[in-house]
Amino acid sequence: MMRRPNQAPPMNGPRFNEWIVSPKVRVIDHEGENLGVMYTREAMAQAQELGLDLVEVSPNADPPVAKFLDVGKFKYEAQKKANLARKSQKTQEIKEIKMRPNIDDHDYDTKMKKVAEFIDEGDKVKVTMRFRGRELSHGQLGMAVLQRVAEQVAEIAKVEAYPRMEGRQMLMVLAPK
């Protein structure tokens, strides 16, 4: 039985060469040809003849799939791919638009342009209706403005959270369709 060196096993990334634990593996050579199932030691010897490593690419298969690769290059490409995926990922933010129940038409139109812009960017929009003083006793005015907002953006967004009161504010959340 082969004795393992006193090095620590690779902590991150795939198992390779002597750290492959299964006795048999399905082997794919450096050109992508399937060489079939063979003993791990035999496959390692073939990989070393080519100056490559035996890398376990699919450890959960039965038997595990191993490939003749350069481990350093394989790890580098995997890291580059992960960084590219992380860079291209878009996180969805919640943008907030604040209004008052007696908002003027021009102010309303300006706010609606911003709402449409945020939704087109893929963000959620939280529309906050603020009440001050006696406005609080006329909640139906705020509700009417929020209903108008929902109707106006119905083609590009859906109402995720319908209008509800929280203290002196009425909130509604819109999400892109």
Side-chain angles (χ1 to χ4, degrees):
M1 183 153 158
M2 209 164 88
R3 187 152 186 221
R4 294 188 179 187
N6 288 337
Q7 279 180 290
M11 295 309 285
N12 55 354
R15 290 190 286 243
F16 61 95
N17 292 343
E18 61 270 357
W19 288 292
I20 296 175
V21 293
S22 64
K24 287 187 177 182
V25 289
R26 182 175 306 278
V27 180
I28 298 172
D29 72 356
H30 61 289
E31 295 167 352
E33 293 288 319
N34 188 353
L35 301 180
V37 178
M38 57 176 71
Y39 288 105
T40 306
R41 280 190 237 125
E42 186 183 320
M44 273 193 317
Q46 286 185 16
Q48 286 175 348
E49 285 174 19
L50 295 168
L52 297 171
D53 300 301
L54 184 67
V55 181
E56 196 174 49
V57 292
S58 181
N60 298 330
D62 186 34
V65 179
K67 230 175 190 179
F68 295 163
L69 297 170
D70 181 15
V71 167
K73 186 176 179 182
F74 182 71
K75 284 184 179 178
Y76 173 74
E77 287 174 356
Q79 186 179 17
K80 265 184 96 167
K81 201 181 294 182
N83 286 344
L84 184 65
R86 192 170 27 255
K87 194 185 299 180
S88 64
Q89 179 180 339
K90 171 81 169 89
T91 55
Q92 194 174 48
E93 296 180 36
I94 297 181
K95 305 284 188 168
E96 186 173 17
I97 296 288
K98 294 181 180 178
M99 295 184 179
R100 298 281 309 281
N102 55 353
I103 189 168
D104 196 39
D105 287 337
H106 185 265
D107 295 335
Y108 175 82
D109 293 339
T110 305
K111 300 271 187 185
M112 288 310 295
K113 282 181 189 169
K114 290 306 279 182
V115 168
E117 185 180 310
F118 292 148
I119 288 173
D120 288 340
E121 289 174 7
D123 296 324
K124 290 184 180 182
V125 179
K126 178 175 158 186
V127 183
T128 305
M129 182 66 56
R130 296 187 117 175
F131 295 96
R132 293 199 312 209
R134 290 189 190 148
E135 291 174 347
L136 202 54
S137 60
H138 299 287
Q140 72 276 8
L141 295 176
M143 182 63 87
V145 173
L146 290 179
Q147 292 298 329
R148 186 174 157 201
V149 169
E151 289 169 12
Q152 196 166 344
V153 297
E155 296 159 13
I156 58 171
K158 63 179 182 275
V159 178
E160 194 171 84
Y162 287 93
R164 67 180 189 283
M165 286 298 292
E166 279 188 13
R168 294 186 158 270
Q169 302 183 85
M170 188 178 284
L171 305 173
M172 178 174 75
V173 179
L174 302 168
K177 275 191 175 175

